[in-house]
């Protein structure tokens, strides 16, 4: 994927007025929480059930993607709600998953997703990408804050916490529930599959800082920080996980997967035989006790991105993006794919957190 264009599209996400009313109502806000390990506050988007009388806006709307309706900064419904952490893919941002976050909020969940520094839109470098332990710490910091902060502690059910992640976020979610990656296995994968997007990204020598393209060190995986990469990032407060197209699918240690005690659902986007080796997770799923595995036919990795606007592929093509992010050729309508994904994801969390 042309990372520069996608970063630009996601970086220009806006909140637009929207006349249609979402039923049931969803509220959304952006908060800033302390992040000692980052050395600066962490920006976190939060979606939640809300019956407030307020106009809807389209959250996550930009020139490429269609946003999801919610009431900006509306009051949250009374009572305690399960908390679901959300982890976006490399080079994306939390609002790029607004479509599923809003759906979960409509079902009574609070959903909180950070923009992971170093791997988010406009702030993404190859050297930061494998630092999976920083992403998991972001999610753990959110749990600590939202279960202790006066604004949220009365609304969050601290005994019911789940996580959903897509792509690199899928690997982040899997690490949070006990999976541990093997650095040599990941290096072997990139040695063998040099044309995979993640491996090309590591070898490209470019990154993005403050929305601008910059030179960045080439990542040599075999010389990377093995101790941190392979450490346990388990957070025992999380009791349910949904993993979508995990980016380190070839690299997780089987013994760590067998020890996972969390209810786990794994989803691959694509018909049998079409899912890229980078994210193909059926074998991985088989190692996790009781894990549920699903494939969504007629889709691909890009299908988890928001619904594209009618002229989006023209904009992408004119900008020189070689990847079919929005053309949909040979694929089902993205909105239909989202409905299938919503059904699986909502059901997984309702069965385990409600």
């Amino acid at each position: 994927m042309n990372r520069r264009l996608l970063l630009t599209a996601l970086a220009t996400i806006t909140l637009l007025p929207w006349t249609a009313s979402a039923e049931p109502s969803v509220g959304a806000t952006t908060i800033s929480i302390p992040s000692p390990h980052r050395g600066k506050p962490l920006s976190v988007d939060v979606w939640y059930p809300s019956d407030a009388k307020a106009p809807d806006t389209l959250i996550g709307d930009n020139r490429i993607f269609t946003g999801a309706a919610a009431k900006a900064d509306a009051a949250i419904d009374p009572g305690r709600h399960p908390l679901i952490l959300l982890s976006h893919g490399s080079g994306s941002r939390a609002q790029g998953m607004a479509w599923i976050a809003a759906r979960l909020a409509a079902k009574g969940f609070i959903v909180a997703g950070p923009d992971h520094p170093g791997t988010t839109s406009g702030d993404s470098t190859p050297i930061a990408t494998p630092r999976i332990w920083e992403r998991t710490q972001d999610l753990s910091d959110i749990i600590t804050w939202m279960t202790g902060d006066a604004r949220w502690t009365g609304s969050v059910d601290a005994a019911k916490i789940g996580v959903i992640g897509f792509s690199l976020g899928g690997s982040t979610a899997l690490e949070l529930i006990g999976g541990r990656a093997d650095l040599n296995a990941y290096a072997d994968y990139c040695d063998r599959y040099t044309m995979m997007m993640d491996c090309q990204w590591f070898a490209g020598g470019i990154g993005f800082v403050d929305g601008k393209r910059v030179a960045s060190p080439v990542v040599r995986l075999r010389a990377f920080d093995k101790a941190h990469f392979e450490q346990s990032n388990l957070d025992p407060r999380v009791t349910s996980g949904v993993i979508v197209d995990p980016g380190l699918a070839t690299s997780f240690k089987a013994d760590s997967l067998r020890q996972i005690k969390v209810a786990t659902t794994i989803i691959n986007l694509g018909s049998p035989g079409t899912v890229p080796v980078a994210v193909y997770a059926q074998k991985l799923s088989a190692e996790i006790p009781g894990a549920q595995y699903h494939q969504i036919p007629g889709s691909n990795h890009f299908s988890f991105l928001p619904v594209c606007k009618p002229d989006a592929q023209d904009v992408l093509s004119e900008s020189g993006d070689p990847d079919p992010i929005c053309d949909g050729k040979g694929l089902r309508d993205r909105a239909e794919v989202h409905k299938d994904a919503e059904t699986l994801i909502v059901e997984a969390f309702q069965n385990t957190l409600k």
Side-chain angles (χ1 to χ4, degrees), residues 201-247:
W201 173 240
F202 294 146
I206 63 164
F208 298 88
V209 176
D210 295 330
K212 298 178 181 179
R213 180 169 171 160
V214 298
S216 182
V218 171
V219 176
R220 306 190 187 284
L221 288 173
R222 296 192 189 280
F224 200 66
D225 187 339
K226 183 179 177 70
H228 277 105
F229 187 84
E230 296 187 351
Q231 74 180 30
S232 173
N233 298 303
L234 173 68
D235 192 321
R237 296 172 294 182
V238 179
T239 59
S240 179
V242 175
I243 318 298
V244 184
D245 273 9

Side-chain angles (χ1 to χ4, degrees), residues 286-312:
E287 299 287 356
I288 301 174
Q292 301 294 310
Y293 177 77
H294 306 275
Q295 283 186 245
I296 299 179
S299 65
N300 66 12
H301 194 64
F302 301 123
S303 298
F304 210 74
L305 297 175
V307 171
C308 296
K309 292 186 173 177
D311 63 345

Side-chain angles (χ1 to χ4, degrees), residues 22-40:
E23 289 294 332
S25 294
V26 172
T29 192
T30 300
I31 64 174
S32 179
I33 72 167
S35 176
H37 81 107
R38 294 288 190 182
K40 60 181 180 181

Side-chain angles (χ1 to χ4, degrees), residues 1-17:
M1 172 187 309
N2 185 318
R3 189 173 286 259
R4 182 176 186 179
L5 183 62
L6 182 57
L7 292 176
T8 301
L10 289 164
T12 57
I13 282 174
T14 55
L15 305 184
L16 299 179

Side-chain angles (χ1 to χ4, degrees), residues 277-342:
V277 64
V279 297
Y280 186 56
Q282 186 172 28
K283 181 178 179 181
L284 178 157
S285 176
E287 299 287 356
I288 301 174
Q292 301 294 310
Y293 177 77
H294 306 275
Q295 283 186 245
I296 299 179
S299 65
N300 66 12
H301 194 64
F302 301 123
S303 298
F304 210 74
L305 297 175
V307 171
C308 296
K309 292 186 173 177
D311 63 345
Q313 192 56 45
D314 291 338
V315 174
L316 292 165
S317 297
E318 290 170 3
S319 301
D321 196 317
D323 292 311
I325 295 171
C326 289
D327 71 4
K329 292 179 180 177
L331 301 174
R332 295 163 55 208
D333 181 78
R334 187 167 294 183
E336 293 181 1
V337 173
H338 283 186
K339 287 181 181 179
D340 286 354
E342 288 171 2

Side-chain angles (χ1 to χ4, degrees), residues 10-16 28-30 43-47 58-62 65-68 86 88 92-101 113-115 120 304-306:
L10 289 164
T12 57
I13 282 174
T14 55
L15 305 184
L16 299 179
T29 192
T30 300
S43 178
V44 181
D45 287 290
V46 186
W47 293 260
L58 280 179
I59 295 181
D61 196 274
N62 57 49
F65 299 123
T66 300
L86 178 153
H88 64 71
S92 185
R93 62 188 305 183
Q95 288 190 6
M97 293 174 69
W99 62 272
I100 187 59
D115 289 344
T120 199
F304 210 74
L305 297 175

Side-chain angles (χ1 to χ4, degrees), residues 253-264:
K253 299 180 179 182
D255 61 341
S256 73
L257 300 176
R258 296 186 194 113
Q259 295 175 39
I260 290 177
K261 298 178 175 62
V262 168
T264 307

